[in-house]
Amino acid sequence: MKKDLAELQDELTQAHRQVHISEARVATALDKLAYMEELVNDRLLQDRNATASEQTSPSPSTSTQATNVVQRRLPHKSLNVSGPVQPYHPRLMNFWYPVAFSADLKDDTMVPIDCFEEQWVIFRGKDGKPGCVRNTCAHRACPLHLGSVNEGRIQCPYHGWEYSTDGKCEKMPSTRLLDVKIKSLPCFEQEGMIWIWPGNEPPTATLPSLQPPPGFQVHAEIVMELPVEHGLLLDNLLDLAHAPFTHTSTFAKGWSVPSLVKFLTPASGLQGYWDPYPIDMEFRPPCMVLSTIGISKPGKLGGQSTDQCPTHLHQLHVCLPSSRQKTRLLYRMSLDFAPLLKHIPFMQYLWRHFAEQVLNEDLRLVLGQQERMINGANVWNWPVSYDKLGVRYRLWRNAVERGAKQLPFEKQM
């Protein structure tokens, strides 16, 4: 018995030794993987003069050596996103932009919007199709949205001039009808949203789909006007690592702070998923963020991936660039459970209240960023690994503005 016990103890000691060796190997492998991810991010940010030695991966024997090599060899790189906020580049306008929900545009109503520093108004014509014209009467520059819609024409409240959806003035009461036209934009309706094309290039024939995945029902559609530049808001929406620090009174209340947060994505893509959170996320050019969140019960995430979760919440955020310090936010929330919630009176107001609570937690920070950016601070001075999706958005936007023939991270057809 003593001999058998001694042999078992020896085997147990050897097993413990093997476990420690395996743990060390796993740790080293994880460090190498983290190093490779840092290299990928750095390659996107580094200039053309980077040396070959900065691009080669070392083969450290221990995790400590790996960390030291990473710190020594990887140069600090940053994106230059500093103020003052520059005028929007015309190339950024050559996309379809969602500007309103269809449900908010009745036959006799108007929706005034700002887009790229210009004022527009949306209304429905005689055929029920939406149109978008400049929100300024040709006569005396009166805002047209202060008027009314009569038989598919928008009427100026000053002297009653009426304009069709193509901008042509069709009525001039008390005077002879002149050949007058105000500027209009291509306008289209699809899947419950109104889209416009504000650019000078011919519009593309197709619009991206923003529908929630199959099995989801839309529960809320909310519009907010926010006093921040749309790029800063997109930076915030594309970042989940801030949640346990910023959203401590709303959806992230009680979340623990992970030892490591990563956004896992294909080498060429603007979509992926968060680790350790069960959240899938995508940036959809030019200004949309789609996310699917796995939940188990209110306020609690469920599982390690969205596929492992029994129920889900899907979100769409559209950040329309109204001006250099203003964003029109369109928010759509969908669920694949609790369909009866749609029929509870005043539920829309509860969803809006919650959305505003979450947004206010972000706004106080983003407004502070904007103030410092205007004064010259770089809001992307030191990106790290969990900033991957935000960095890719900035690289995509930079490529658009400089007129790149092939935009980065586009899906291969």
Side-chain angles (χ1 to χ4, degrees), residues 3 17 42 46 49 57 81 101 141 144 160 162 176 185 192 216 218 227 253 265 274 283 294 303 331 360 363 379:
K3 182 179 179 182
R17 188 179 298 114
D42 187 68
Q46 67 185 352
N49 297 324
S57 176
V81 183
F101 293 112
L144 291 173
E162 295 186 11
R176 180 171 58 88
L185 294 178
F216 283 77
V218 175
K253 185 176 183 179
T265 180
W274 288 93
F283 169 67
Y331 174 72
N360 285 334
L363 272 181
V379 297

Side-chain angles (χ1 to χ4, degrees), residues 141 162 188 214 224-225 251 298 301 315 344 400 413:
E162 295 186 11
F188 198 77
M224 302 181 192
E225 303 289 343
F251 72 90
L301 299 179
Q315 297 183 113
I344 297 179
V400 171
M413 302 303 291

Side-chain angles (χ1 to χ4, degrees), residues 68-93:
N68 290 339
V69 170
V70 170
Q71 292 175 347
R72 184 174 67 251
R73 300 194 111 186
L74 285 179
H76 163 55
K77 298 294 178 182
S78 66
L79 291 164
N80 184 15
V81 183
S82 56
V85 183
Q86 300 299 314
Y88 284 110
H89 198 287
R91 293 193 184 98
L92 200 59
M93 303 179 190

Side-chain angles (χ1 to χ4, degrees), residues 95-113:
F95 293 90
W96 283 107
Y97 282 86
V99 294
F101 293 112
S102 296
D104 294 333
L105 189 64
K106 311 299 183 184
D107 288 340
D108 58 348
T109 61
M110 296 165 285
V111 176
I113 63 166

Side-chain angles (χ1 to χ4, degrees), residues 96-100 193-196 208 210 286-288 316 318-320 328 330:
W96 283 107
Y97 282 86
V99 294
M193 303 192 81
I194 311 296
W195 301 66
I196 65 171
L210 300 180
C287 64
M288 289 82 79
L316 165 68
V318 177
C319 300
L320 180 69
R328 178 178 173 87
L330 277 62

Side-chain angles (χ1 to χ4, degrees), residues 33 37 262-266 271-275 281 388:
L33 180 60
E37 287 185 338
K262 294 188 291 184
F263 184 76
L264 304 175
T265 180
Q271 73 287 334
Y273 63 94
W274 288 93
D275 180 12
M281 186 173 286
K388 186 182 298 183

